[in-house]
């Protein structure tokens, strides 16, 4: 068993991300200072998380209980090998997104920029809280914080389309959490008398063996409620909020798809499966394979829909729906190789997908083009943007040496380890489909003659190009050095 250490320092990254939004508001009349707050807060939060890395790699689990509401219901924070992955990614990409935001929001002279940065920062506070949640109650609180404070971001343009997309976003995410996630939490407490997850191990979770033996169907029902309640993971049929949320500014789409929202969804689902139920309970009740098959269905169908989309953000949205299920298929297969592949994809997908949305936003700021069919020749005008977009696309497809290849390698081997040929075919089919909807974008940009006048177009400003090139480069680095995140997974799963 991992050594558990009580550490009040777990409150530090939360404190920084909680103070940041109010500091942003106080500096609302000076845009340079306002944006500087986000940079500083992102750096401090990342460093605070980074300070735990040596202990995590030594097998330690850090916890801290802030207060108790009822016996077995606490606001408790914890950090293990799984939590540190999301805990490092969120502030690092927050810093990159802030640089990109400067170029995007100022370039388009967007309104309500202080509100925008304020809500952006609180969404990161929610993401950090999810990463640090040691029990289901704490997870639920911060999960809802993300939903509430990303609503104004989705509705940012304040037009009919924006409000319609934001309304669907809120109905799906708040509706599922109230109808399914909250009852799942209540059932867990009634059955177990606690909501504390078993951090630092994948073997056992909240549910004792005698509870599982006495109430197998109730435990199964609880599991189904959790899966339905975590709609941020975008498993079909609870996925439609995600394409509808594309009415938001492109940096918000990057936040939704790469940093806070969907990553909170797949992270929470991974946490519930591995630390809430554990491999023993999942296997004894036969819960893993049905979840994996639902994820495989989502992967293939979402990829087929992405092929039909000419709007670049819509294509990326359905790509996200598909790619998120890679994580779920990995953790629900429960084999060591598959779990490693699924959890690695939390990081690998984050860096590649934020690059793709950064690229889409840079294209829009400089050309006001959204249609892929009108992007012929743009790569020759914006080589850095489309070069980074191409690298990130290779990661989504799963080509070496980019990091998406590593995830898929482990996932494919995990399906073989589990003897699941159908799931193997789904993964291989998705790779072909990914190539089908990403390669044409790159090919059009560099090798086809323009269909519109592009003479006056030029590369995006450095505040946008630098972060998208950095995140693309990180996709390559993680392809060569997957152990940067893999070591946390090995410690967590004792692989």
């Amino acid at each position: 068993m991992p050594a558990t250490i009580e550490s009040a320092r777990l409150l530090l990254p939360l404190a920084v991300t909680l103070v940041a939004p109010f500091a942003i508001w106080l500096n609302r009349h000076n845009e340079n200072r306002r944006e500087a707050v986000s940079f500083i807060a992102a750096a401090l939060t990342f460093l605070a998380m980074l300070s735990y890395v040596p202990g995590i790699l030594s097998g330690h689990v850090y916890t801290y209980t802030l207060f108790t509401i009822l016996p077995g219901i606490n606001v408790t924070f914890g950090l293990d090998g799984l939590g540190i992955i999301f805990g490092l990614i969120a502030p690092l990409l927050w810093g990159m997104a802030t640089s990109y935001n400067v170029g995007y929001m100022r370039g388009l002279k967007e309104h309500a920029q202080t509100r925008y940065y304020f809500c952006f920062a609180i969404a990161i506070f929610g993401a950090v809280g999810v990463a640090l949640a040691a029990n289901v109650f704490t997870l639920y609180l911060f999960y809802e914080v993300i939903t509430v404070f990303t609503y104004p971001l989705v509705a940012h343009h304040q037009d009919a389309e924006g409000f319609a997309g934001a309304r669907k976003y809120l109905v799906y995410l708040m509706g599922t959490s109230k109808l399914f996630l909250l009852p799942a939490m209540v059932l867990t407490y009634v059955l177990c008398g606690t909501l504390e997850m078993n951090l630092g191990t994948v073997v056992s979770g909240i549910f004792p063996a005698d509870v599982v033996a006495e109430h197998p169907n109730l435990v199964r029902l609880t599991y189904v409620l959790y899966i339905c309640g975590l709609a941020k993971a975008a498993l079909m049929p609870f996925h439609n909020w995600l394409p509808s949320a594309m009415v938001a500014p492109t940096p918000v789409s990057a936040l939704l798809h790469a940093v806070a929202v969907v990553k909170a969804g797949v992270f929470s689902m991974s946490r519930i499966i591995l630390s809430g139920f554990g491999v023993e309970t999942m296997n004894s009740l036969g819960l893993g394979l049905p979840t994996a098959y639902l994820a495989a269905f989502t992967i293939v169908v979402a990829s087929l829909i992405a092929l039909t989309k000419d709007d670049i953000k819509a294509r990326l949205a359905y790509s996200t729906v598909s790619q998120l299920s890679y994580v779920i298929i990995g953790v629900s297969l429960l084999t060591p190789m598959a779990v490693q592949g699924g959890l690695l994809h939390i990081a690998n997908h984050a860096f590649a997908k934020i690059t793709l949305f950064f690229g889409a936003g840079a294209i829009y700021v400089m050309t006001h083009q959204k249609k892929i069919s009108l992007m012929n020749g743009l790569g020759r005008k914006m080589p850095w943007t489309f070069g980074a977009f191409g690298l990130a696309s290779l990661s989504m497809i799963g080509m070496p040496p980019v990091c998406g290849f590593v995830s898929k390698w482990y996932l494919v081997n995990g399906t073989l380890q589990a003897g699941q040929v159908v799931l193997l075919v789904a993964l291989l089919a998705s790779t072909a489909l990914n190539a089908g909807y990403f390669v044409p974008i790159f090919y059009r940009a560099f090798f086809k003659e323009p269909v519109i006048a592009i003479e006056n177009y030029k590369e995006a400003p450095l505040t946008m190009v630098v972060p998208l090139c950095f995140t693309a480069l990180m996709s390559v680095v993680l392809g060569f050095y997957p152990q940067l995140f893999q070591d946390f997974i090995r410690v967590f799963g004792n692989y």
Side-chain angles (χ1 to χ4, degrees), residues 112 194 198-199 204 222 226 269 399 420 447:
T194 183
N198 199 359
L199 303 191
S204 59
T222 304
Y226 276 121
M269 197 168 286
M399 295 289 290
Q420 292 295 320
F447 301 107

Side-chain angles (χ1 to χ4, degrees), residues 246-270:
M246 291 303 95
V247 297
T250 303
V252 174
S253 300
L255 174 78
L256 296 175
H257 289 250
V259 187
V261 180
V262 296
K263 283 301 174 299
V266 292
F267 172 84
S268 298
M269 197 168 286
S270 301

Side-chain angles (χ1 to χ4, degrees), residues 87-309:
L88 288 170
I89 291 170
L92 178 61
L93 293 184
W94 182 22
M96 293 299 104
T98 298
S99 172
Y100 184 87
N101 275 325
V102 171
Y104 186 95
M105 299 300 284
R106 295 188 189 182
L108 292 177
K109 297 180 173 58
E110 286 282 357
H111 72 290
Q113 291 190 30
T114 297
R115 182 190 68 194
Y116 175 92
Y117 284 106
F118 179 89
C119 292
F120 211 99
I122 296 188
I124 300 298
F125 167 69
V128 171
V130 166
L132 292 172
N135 58 43
V136 183
F137 180 72
T138 309
L139 181 72
Y140 176 81
L141 291 179
F142 285 95
Y143 184 93
E144 295 291 51
V145 165
I146 296 172
T147 302
V148 171
F149 284 94
T150 47
Y151 170 81
L153 295 175
V154 176
H156 177 79
H157 292 307
Q158 296 177 238
D159 53 16
E161 188 182 19
F163 285 125
R167 186 165 55 250
K168 182 181 285 190
Y169 175 81
L170 200 62
V171 167
Y172 265 80
L173 297 188
M174 292 292 281
T176 53
S177 67
K178 296 298 180 289
L179 288 173
F180 304 117
L181 187 55
L182 191 57
M185 189 165 61
V186 171
L187 264 176
T188 303
Y189 185 72
V190 169
L191 288 168
C192 306
T194 183
L195 296 174
E196 298 298 319
M197 293 183 288
N198 199 359
L199 303 191
T201 178
V202 300
V203 177
S204 59
I206 303 171
F207 298 86
D210 59 332
V211 171
V212 176
E214 281 184 50
H215 308 284
N217 290 329
L218 269 179
V219 177
R220 287 190 182 99
L221 173 62
T222 304
Y223 177 80
V224 171
L225 290 171
Y226 276 121
I227 297 302
C228 294
L230 294 168
K232 286 188 176 79
L235 266 178
M236 289 183 172
F238 301 110
H239 70 289
N240 202 248
W241 63 269
L242 200 153
S244 299
M246 291 303 95
V247 297
T250 303
V252 174
S253 300
L255 174 78
L256 296 175
H257 289 250
V259 187
V261 180
V262 296
K263 283 301 174 299
V266 292
F267 172 84
S268 298
M269 197 168 286
S270 301
R271 179 64 90 189
I272 290 295
I273 290 173
L274 298 174
S275 302
F277 285 81
V279 172
E280 289 179 349
T281 301
M282 293 287 293
N283 280 331
S284 67
L285 297 179
L287 300 172
L289 277 181
T291 311
Y293 275 96
L294 179 60
F297 175 81
T298 302
I299 287 170
V300 174
V301 173
S303 296
L304 288 169
I305 296 172
L307 280 171
T308 69
K309 300 299 180 182

